[in-house]
Amino acid sequence: MGNPPSPIIIITAPSGAGKTSITRYLLQKYPYLAFSVSAATRQPRGTEKDGVDYYFITEEDFQKKIAANEFVEWEMVYQGKYYGTLHSELNRIWQQQQVPMLDIDVKGAIHVQQQYPEQCFSLFIEPPSLDELKNRLLARGTETEESLQARLGKAAFEISFKNYFDQVIVNDRLEDACAAAEKAIGEFLQSKQFRQQIIHS
């Protein structure tokens, strides 16, 4: 018998639903999880660091990597803004005997599941309502009316795919959503299939 396939954890959600906060919580809770750093063509924001938050690359380099089949998944999430998960990033984490955690767009998450159907465990973080999502996006203070409407339209579309994922968690209260995600991932990683691969801290 060979070794069981290496697991992958996927956290996906519409923008503003709280997936990044939940991802950070899980990374602190489970030391054997490692954040999968995505490639992006946008500029760094605030204190973001290359190779930590994203691999910031030019659109030209991104296109070259697409042509060379270096991405597990990639999307032009917004016009001219490309994001993607590199095969080399998953391999880097597996070589460290850790489990990659992907915080990615809904379409990208579906593509990863299609490529690694036996290895993925996916959580879809759903906002309590589109009205609540609108309030959260407005509270950020970073949206124009045009970008707000674009994000809400995209969110409504993405929510229609929620049943493609292993578990849906409604993020009404962040503490409750974090606890539900922790329980779901703990059960998955302790399953018979992956138990031997988990690094216990």
Side-chain angles (χ1 to χ4, degrees):
M1 277 179 61
N3 291 327
S6 300
I8 299 169
I9 304 293
I10 298 171
I11 310 288
T12 192
S15 178
K19 75 181 187 313
T20 300
S21 296
I22 293 169
T23 298
R24 286 175 181 154
Y25 172 85
L26 292 167
L27 288 167
Q28 289 180 332
K29 208 71 184 174
Y30 292 120
Y32 45 76
L33 296 180
F35 179 65
S36 173
V37 180
S38 296
T41 60
R42 69 166 175 77
Q43 293 298 307
R45 296 176 190 146
T47 59
E48 288 180 336
K49 292 184 173 62
D50 182 54
V52 177
D53 299 286
Y54 289 94
Y55 295 115
F56 294 105
I57 62 176
T58 65
E59 191 171 334
E60 182 183 3
D61 284 344
F62 201 103
Q63 297 281 6
K64 286 178 181 176
K65 290 181 184 298
I66 292 171
N69 197 30
E70 292 184 32
F71 287 105
V72 181
E73 58 81 28
W74 64 271
E75 296 292 333
M76 187 171 71
V77 178
Y78 297 101
Q79 187 62 40
K81 297 285 194 299
Y82 290 86
Y83 294 83
T85 302
L86 292 158
H87 286 287
S88 59
E89 179 67 1
L90 297 186
N91 289 331
R92 177 186 72 81
I93 294 169
W94 284 330
Q95 285 168 6
Q96 292 174 348
Q97 300 295 304
Q98 290 181 292
V99 176
M101 172 170 277
L102 281 62
D103 169 354
I104 56 174
D105 179 75
V106 171
K107 282 175 70 178
I110 291 172
H111 289 158
V112 175
Q113 289 190 132
Q114 289 170 340
Q115 291 193 56
Y116 297 98
E118 302 301 317
Q119 296 165 247
C120 289
F121 182 71
S122 58
L123 296 178
F124 182 94
I125 310 303
E126 183 178 7
S129 67
L130 286 175
D131 281 343
E132 175 60 23
L133 183 65
K134 180 179 179 179
N135 292 336
R136 291 178 187 178
L137 290 170
L138 284 171
R140 289 180 175 181
T142 58
E143 303 297 329
T144 63
E145 182 60 31
E146 185 180 8
S147 69
L148 178 66
Q149 293 307 318
R151 284 187 186 276
L152 290 173
K154 187 168 184 282
F157 177 70
E158 289 174 332
I159 289 169
S160 72
F161 290 95
K162 67 182 182 180
N163 292 328
Y164 281 62
F165 301 99
D166 293 311
Q167 190 164 328
V168 177
I169 294 174
V170 178
N171 182 15
D172 194 357
R173 287 183 69 250
L174 182 60
E175 295 82 357
D176 294 342
C178 286
E182 179 186 347
K183 181 174 184 289
I185 287 173
E187 288 174 354
F188 169 73
L189 292 176
Q190 288 300 324
S191 68
K192 184 178 179 182
Q193 185 180 14
F194 294 125
R195 189 179 300 132
Q196 298 304 316
Q197 289 182 270
I198 301 306
I199 307 299
H200 293 284
S201 59

